[in-house]
Amino acid sequence: MQNNNTQIFGIRAIIEAINSGSTIDKVFIQKGLRGELFNELDQLLRTNAISTSFVPPEKLNRLTKKNHQGVIALISPVEFYDLDSLVLNVIESGKVPKFLILDQLSDVRNFGAIIRTAECTGVDGIIIQKKGGAPVNADAVKTSAGAIFKIPICKVDHVKDAIYHLQSSGVQIVAATEKTENNVYDIDFTVPVAIVMGSEGKGVSPSILKIVDHQAKLPILGKIASLNVSVACGAFLYEVVRQRLA
């Protein structure tokens, strides 16, 4: 059964949805769930690399009052793009590519705000990881003010692989991090670029920082050491706009 076009509950219903090609954003599974039918679902989730979270029954009961059988799936409100095809299409269009990579960003409202800013600044596509990031749900749609339907979003197995692919396609990777002495205003953004924004608590992953082409930070003149990630992202993207308009 489906609830308000955002949820599917019941093991068999979720199995059928996956097999029919529905875009499942995340599946919540009751801890300790067992059985032959669950094993079939579990295998499907693994095969399709669908994000899962094992939770107590109270969490599921808050999500729906229906008989969920220990499993609730959240349906994505958008269709995701293939990264290879998107990169190729942008390059062939003759534009100077501008991508945004979100590394384990977890707050859905920050996610929605970033999507809105990305659309306003002409970003060609947003790349997120299948597991560990903020869900693409109704809250993201609302916070993005509908921009989520106007900008391509790619879900990838691993952000590092996406970075390697972009680099091989001639796209410069710039990570936003305070762990550098390089100022964002000294980076050349007139070339093909992808900006990496990290999670709210930890920033860009150390393993990602090792493979990017440049690290850059925003100057902080006050006493608070960092900016909200959506605000910082906006500042980076508008520096790209400023340089390209100039």
Side-chain angles (χ1 to χ4, degrees):
M1 296 180 67
Q2 200 165 319
N3 180 19
N4 297 328
N5 297 320
T6 61
Q7 293 181 359
I8 303 174
F9 41 88
I11 298 176
R12 174 58 66 187
I14 296 172
I15 289 174
E16 292 175 356
I18 296 172
N19 286 332
S20 67
S22 296
T23 304
I24 308 294
D25 188 55
K26 187 165 187 174
V27 177
F28 293 96
I29 302 171
Q30 183 174 312
K31 291 179 179 178
L33 199 62
R34 297 289 185 272
E36 184 176 337
L37 197 57
F38 168 72
N39 291 338
E40 182 182 344
L41 172 62
D42 185 54
Q43 184 60 48
L44 270 177
L45 295 172
R46 294 175 186 274
T47 301
N48 291 276
I50 296 172
S51 178
T52 59
S53 182
F54 289 88
V55 298
E58 293 79 10
K59 168 72 173 179
L60 299 175
N61 294 335
R62 286 196 297 270
L63 288 172
T64 182
K65 302 300 182 183
K66 303 292 185 178
N67 179 22
H68 50 67
Q69 299 179 319
V71 185
I72 298 175
L74 303 183
I75 307 171
S76 171
V78 300
E79 292 294 328
F80 296 106
Y81 285 67
D82 174 71
L83 178 62
D84 293 359
S85 299
L86 176 62
V87 172
L88 182 61
N89 289 339
V90 172
I91 292 174
E92 289 183 344
S93 72
K95 295 194 298 183
V96 181
K98 177 169 46 182
F99 295 103
L100 183 61
I101 301 172
L102 304 182
D103 177 30
Q104 303 294 290
L105 189 83
S106 59
D107 187 282
V108 69
R109 290 174 178 80
N110 279 334
F111 181 42
I114 284 173
I115 294 171
R116 184 175 183 175
T117 303
E119 202 283 326
C120 289
T121 53
V123 168
D124 296 302
I126 298 175
I127 300 161
I128 60 176
Q129 194 160 284
K130 288 181 178 177
K131 293 186 177 181
V136 184
N137 60 16
D139 285 335
V141 172
K142 182 178 180 180
T143 313
S144 76
I148 196 169
F149 300 115
K150 300 179 183 297
I151 187 169
I153 298 177
C154 300
K155 266 196 170 187
V156 297
D157 292 327
H158 303 287
V159 163
K160 287 177 70 174
D161 291 339
I163 289 174
Y164 288 135
H165 177 66
L166 288 167
Q167 287 173 325
S168 68
S169 301
V171 178
Q172 171 181 268
I173 312 297
V174 179
T177 175
E178 73 281 0
K179 301 172 184 177
T180 181
E181 295 304 315
N182 302 322
N183 195 304
V184 64
Y185 305 119
D186 296 327
I187 302 293
D188 181 8
F189 288 116
T190 62
V191 300
V193 68
I195 296 172
V196 185
M197 303 301 301
S199 67
E200 293 83 356
K202 299 180 180 179
V204 178
S205 306
S207 61
I208 300 298
L209 291 176
K210 290 179 181 178
I211 65 172
V212 300
D213 300 298
H214 301 285
Q215 299 179 21
K217 68 177 181 180
L218 290 163
I220 302 294
L221 306 181
K223 296 181 180 180
I224 296 177
S226 63
L227 291 166
N228 170 276
V229 63
S230 66
V231 174
C233 184
F236 266 77
L237 290 176
Y238 268 102
E239 175 57 16
V240 180
V241 172
R242 186 194 69 81
Q243 290 191 22
R244 294 189 181 186
L245 286 176

